[in-house]
Amino acid sequence: MGTVRILSYNIRSLRDDPAAVTRVVRALEPDAACLQEVPRFLGWRCKRWRLARGCGLTVAAGRRPAGLAVLAGPRVRVVRGEHHLLSPVPGLHRRGLAVAVLEVGSGRRLIAASTHLDLKDEPRRTHTAEVLELLDRARRRYDAPVVLAGDVNEEPGGASWDLLTGVFQDAYATAPKGEGPTFSARSPRRRIDGVFADPGVEIAACGVPDDPAVMADYAAATDHRPVLAEIRLA
């Protein structure tokens, strides 16, 4: 297996056009789809399962709290899934981390993780540090490189983004392809979603896919645009 395709996508609880979300994900053919704002209320299991099936993927990691999931494509094998809740902040939405250990090609492993950080600065910094600690443990436990994807709720140069790029490569900054801004889908001006990879991972390309056929669904699907990274493992 040559290139591994990692998708980050905030799907806003499928409150907009679920069929458009499915079309976007299917068109991008990810090996790992790291999703944020996955449905977490009434009927959440069924909605998550239907989404995965409609996209031609399987659920590899994620539970109801924090609204996160990692879906796996047919070219990878799921070794293990984990779900971690980050420290609670009174009055704010509970944050978390979904982690999927995947086997790629001839037995090589990759850790694909999804997170959604807070809108407020201080909780966002605290949770970023917790995410980095959890991923360091996973890296050592499974002896595999990490790719983290998510909605950072902050642009490059912010404190949390700097914490992430102190450990990881910013995939878009390393090998930009397509467009950069991810929010909002209707009027994209801010790059607040990203894919971050361990230094040993080769970034072939990363960005918001600019194929007109796919872009036609962006505004209808959700309020964020997808970020797709193509990586190679050493």
Side-chain angles (χ1 to χ4, degrees), residues 5-233:
R5 297 166 67 85
I6 308 292
L7 173 68
S8 182
Y9 203 13
N10 181 321
I11 60 172
R12 203 159 83 132
S13 299
L14 297 177
R15 287 182 293 173
D16 299 288
D17 185 344
V21 171
T22 300
R23 287 194 297 270
V24 169
V25 176
R26 286 190 73 95
L28 298 180
E29 299 182 309
D31 296 301
C34 300
L35 305 181
Q36 304 87 42
E37 292 196 38
V38 180
R40 59 188 181 90
F41 294 115
L42 185 65
W44 69 273
R45 285 183 189 276
C46 186
K47 291 174 183 176
R48 189 172 297 207
W49 179 79
R50 281 203 307 262
L51 173 65
R53 184 181 66 172
C55 295
L57 309 173
T58 59
V59 179
R63 296 203 302 270
R64 184 185 68 79
L68 299 169
V70 180
L71 308 184
R75 299 198 307 161
V76 300
R77 184 178 75 85
V78 179
V79 176
R80 184 173 176 82
E82 297 182 359
H83 184 271
H84 303 275
L85 289 176
L86 307 179
S87 58
V89 180
L92 296 182
H93 173 64
R94 193 70 187 270
R95 302 296 173 176
L97 178 71
V99 177
V101 184
L102 306 174
E103 192 172 273
V104 178
S106 57
R108 290 172 296 173
R109 286 186 175 184
L110 170 70
I111 297 166
S114 178
T115 196
H116 184 187
L117 298 175
D118 207 89
L119 288 164
K120 291 184 175 289
D121 292 345
E122 187 173 344
R124 185 167 61 242
R125 286 194 300 271
T126 299
H127 290 154
T128 301
E130 292 177 18
V131 164
L132 291 174
E133 183 177 349
L134 288 166
L135 291 177
D136 185 54
R137 282 189 218 158
R139 187 186 292 112
R140 288 184 277 111
R141 181 182 304 127
Y142 299 111
D143 190 25
V146 171
V147 177
L148 171 67
D151 178 353
V152 183
N153 265 321
E154 177 183 275
E155 293 184 87
S160 295
W161 200 286
D162 284 349
L163 282 173
L164 292 170
T165 55
V167 174
F168 296 115
Q169 303 174 80
D170 176 344
Y172 177 75
T174 303
K177 179 183 179 183
E179 300 186 8
T182 62
F183 186 83
S184 69
R186 293 184 181 277
S187 181
R189 294 188 178 129
R190 304 175 62 211
R191 185 162 78 95
I192 63 172
D193 304 82
V195 177
F196 305 88
D198 269 346
V201 173
E202 180 187 350
I203 312 296
C206 180
V208 175
D210 56 5
D211 180 342
V214 182
M215 294 181 77
D217 274 320
Y218 287 172
T222 175
D223 59 343
H224 287 245
R225 302 204 298 174
V227 181
L228 181 68
E230 298 179 45
I231 66 168
R232 297 187 185 96
L233 302 180

